[in-house]
């Protein structure tokens, strides 16, 4: 269950390298030359840590069907080249619960810090707000559906007249 206990959790750092084929596809999708030596600014979103043991959705008990993406914010410090290796640190900065008409909403602000292994310099930081909504049950329908193509009207009012037919 999402709780304030997750706030402040830091995952063990892990290392990764960009994947050339994904970078080429990314550049091509932007209409750019696919052999650019630098990574696109937002490419690192693809290098999340689920394969490295950082599975935030499981750890925070946020089933994917209940997850909402609360946005994305980036800070860029240095260019990242295709051959750079990165060390990634993941930290749960804040966890908050808010009440809504549909039930509680949980917010978890997670930061990813990417550092260049060759010199330890910061390269990027990404802030990701994750939102868990509580599933709601739909209220049962109290009135039958109107037939397809019908014109809705207030109760007790006659239907509007049909327009005159046009003859050819």
């Amino acid at each position: 269950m999402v709780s304030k206990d997750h706030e402040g959790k830091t995952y063990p750092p892990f290392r990764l390298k960009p994947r050339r084929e994904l970078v080429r596809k990314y550049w091509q999708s932007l209409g750019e030359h696919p052999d650019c030596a630098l990574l696109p600014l937002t490419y690192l979103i693809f290098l999340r840590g689920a394969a490295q043991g950082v599975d935030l959705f499981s750890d925070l008990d946020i089933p994917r069907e209940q997850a909402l993406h609360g946005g994305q914010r980036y800070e860029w410090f240095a260019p990242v080249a295709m051959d750079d290796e990165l060390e990634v640190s993941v930290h749960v900065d804040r966890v908050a619960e808010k009440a809504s008409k549909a039930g509680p909403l949980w917010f978890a602000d997670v930061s990813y810090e990417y550092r260049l292994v060759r010199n330890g310099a910061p390269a990027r930081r990404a802030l990701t707000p994750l939102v868990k909504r509580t599933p709601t049950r739909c209220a049962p329908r109290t009135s039958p559906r109107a037939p397809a193509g019908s014109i809705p009207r207030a109760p007790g009012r006659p239907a509007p007249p049909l327009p005159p037919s046009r003859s050819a």
Side-chain angles (χ1 to χ4, degrees):
M1 166 183 232
V2 179
S3 73
K4 294 288 278 181
D5 294 340
H6 292 97
E7 193 169 276
K9 180 175 182 172
T10 300
Y11 292 85
F14 58 92
R15 290 186 177 189
L16 50 82
K17 289 183 83 163
R19 293 178 37 205
R20 285 186 185 280
E21 188 55 35
L22 284 179
V23 173
R24 282 190 187 104
K25 285 180 181 180
Y26 197 109
W27 279 125
Q28 284 176 325
S29 73
L30 296 174
E32 299 293 333
H33 192 276
D35 292 325
C36 184
L38 294 177
L39 298 182
L41 294 175
T42 58
Y43 169 79
L44 295 176
I45 190 76
F46 293 111
L47 303 178
R48 296 300 178 150
Q52 308 292 329
V54 180
D55 188 355
L56 290 169
F57 289 101
S58 291
D59 290 352
L60 295 173
D61 186 34
I62 301 176
R64 294 239 181 216
E65 66 274 4
Q66 293 178 23
L68 300 172
H69 187 256
Q72 196 75 39
R73 190 176 83 201
Y74 295 98
E75 296 174 287
W76 295 277
F77 304 107
V80 177
M82 190 76 76
D83 295 325
D84 280 331
E85 185 175 15
L86 299 161
E87 183 172 273
V88 184
S89 299
V90 182
H91 183 77
V92 179
D93 300 323
R94 181 182 74 97
V95 175
E97 179 186 16
K98 295 193 178 184
S100 76
K101 291 180 183 179
L105 288 171
W106 284 94
F107 296 84
D109 291 339
V110 180
S111 59
Y112 291 78
E113 188 164 316
Y114 300 85
R115 292 186 167 273
L116 298 167
V117 170
R118 63 181 148 87
N119 60 10
R124 307 269 200 295
R125 183 178 9 230
L127 244 46
T128 304
L130 299 174
V131 182
K132 178 184 179 181
R133 64 178 172 78
T134 303
T136 59
R137 292 197 165 95
C138 294
R141 185 177 292 280
T142 57
S143 63
R145 285 185 186 261
S150 66
I151 300 171
R153 60 181 188 273
R157 300 194 79 189
L162 295 174
S165 62
R166 295 185 187 193
S167 27

